[in-house]
Amino acid sequence: MNEQTIALVTGANKGIGYEIAAGLGALGWRVGVGARDAERGEAAVAKLRAADVDAFVVPLDVTEDASVAAAVALVEERAGRLDVLVNNAGITGSAAQQPTTVDVTTVRTAVETNVIGVIRVTNAMLPLLRRSPSPRIVNMSSSVGSLTKQSTPGAETGPIAVAYAPSKTFLNAVTVQYAKELRDTNILINAGCPGYCATDLNGFRGVRTPEQGAAIALRLATLPDDGPTGGFFDDEGEVPW
Ligand code: NAP
């Protein structure tokens, strides 16, 4: 049996996902680099390999059933099982997200990627995860999905965004439901917030580096068997729901 830990990171061709792949690879893990565009994925894999990471590209659009099914087949062929799934791929949707004027397509698109995409990929990968001695699932969320923060006057929650922020609230709620169903298994599933990082997602306005943003995912990917499940964490600890 292959003793090397196997991970898959969705949306790993750039930004925080790339740094998560690099960080897991630095642990000596074999990392599937999920990328909806195969060329961008190959470029990221070449860069990771140059840094001595055992990386392979996994063409994967989280919104497409056929793409996800092909990704499962590829991971099975290349690794035989999956130890860690990081659901990192995400979008904000568009700049115009005032609730009273939003194009509902913007909301639907954000939910399709940030929530339904996570459910689609997780469920498809579960048979491979169940072959692992210590499976971990990490859902990259955001503190803008915290209803506690959103309803606390003065708390930093970014611009009004009726698609993006509620999609992360939805993702947090989904994470809790998975943890409840999987409580009697060895699978730990948690949501993580990377903080406000300079990436394409926000026009590189974030104040943290993508490497710093990756740290919480690395922590949740490497939890011990008695670690938490169904939680929401950032570098400081628990994030209020
Ligand atoms: P990013 O630089 O824009 O990267 C997003 C990644 O997701 C890219 O690889 C993108 O692929 C991929 N992606 C988008 N839609 C996809 C789809 N349908 N299927 C597969 N991959 C898809 O964003 P980031 O800042 O690194 O964000 C990573 C995660 O952290 C997201 O879930 C985001 O919501 C979360 N987050 C970020 C921040 C922040 O400040 N940056 C804060 C809180 C939470 P392409 O290159 O093909 O577009």
Side-chain angles (χ1 to χ4, degrees):
M1 185 171 129
N2 183 359
E3 294 305 326
Q4 197 179 14
T5 303
I6 313 295
L8 172 65
V9 184
T10 67
N13 53 286
K14 67 180 181 184
I16 296 165
Y18 176 87
E19 295 300 337
I20 296 169
L24 296 177
L27 299 175
W29 294 14
R30 183 151 206 236
V31 187
V33 174
R36 62 177 160 176
D37 180 279
E39 261 180 45
R40 287 197 285 271
E42 292 290 0
V45 164
K47 208 167 135 196
L48 287 164
R49 284 194 184 144
D52 274 342
V53 172
D54 183 359
F56 62 101
V57 71
V58 180
L60 173 55
D61 185 328
V62 303
T63 64
E64 297 287 340
D65 286 339
S67 170
V68 174
V72 172
L74 182 67
V75 173
E76 173 153 40
E77 182 206 311
R78 299 296 292 267
R81 67 163 200 284
L82 186 61
D83 298 298
V84 171
L85 169 64
V86 182
N87 287 306
N88 167 79
I91 57 168
T92 54
S94 84
Q97 296 197 15
Q98 295 294 115
T100 58
T101 51
V102 73
D103 178 341
V104 293
T105 305
T106 301
V107 181
R108 189 176 295 123
T109 305
V111 170
E112 184 59 55
T113 300
N114 298 351
V115 184
I116 297 172
V118 172
I119 297 172
R120 178 183 289 109
V121 173
T122 300
N123 290 354
M125 293 291 167
L126 261 179
L128 294 180
L129 284 161
R130 289 187 195 278
R131 293 180 195 164
S132 167
S134 300
R136 305 284 178 262
I137 302 169
V138 181
N139 292 336
M140 288 308 274
S141 183
S142 170
S143 63
V144 305
S146 165
L147 292 179
T148 303
K149 288 198 170 188
Q150 287 285 356
S151 55
T152 301
E156 183 44 64
T157 51
I160 292 171
V162 75
Y164 182 64
S167 77
K168 294 299 188 182
T169 313
F170 193 169
L171 176 61
N172 289 346
V174 162
T175 304
V176 171
Q177 295 300 309
Y178 270 94
K180 287 173 80 165
E181 183 183 344
L182 299 172
R183 192 160 292 278
D184 295 328
T185 73
N186 56 0
I187 301 173
L188 302 179
I189 178 166
N190 291 286
C193 172
Y196 189 36
C197 303
T199 68
D200 258 350
L201 191 92
N202 50 38
F204 296 90
R205 281 187 296 272
V207 295
R208 310 186 81 211
T209 65
E211 296 95 308
Q212 289 172 320
I216 186 61
L218 302 185
R219 187 148 69 81
L220 296 174
T222 55
L223 285 174
D225 288 343
D226 62 353
T229 191
F232 182 24
F233 302 94
D234 64 13
D235 285 350
E236 308 295 314
E238 281 194 63
V239 182
W241 295 113

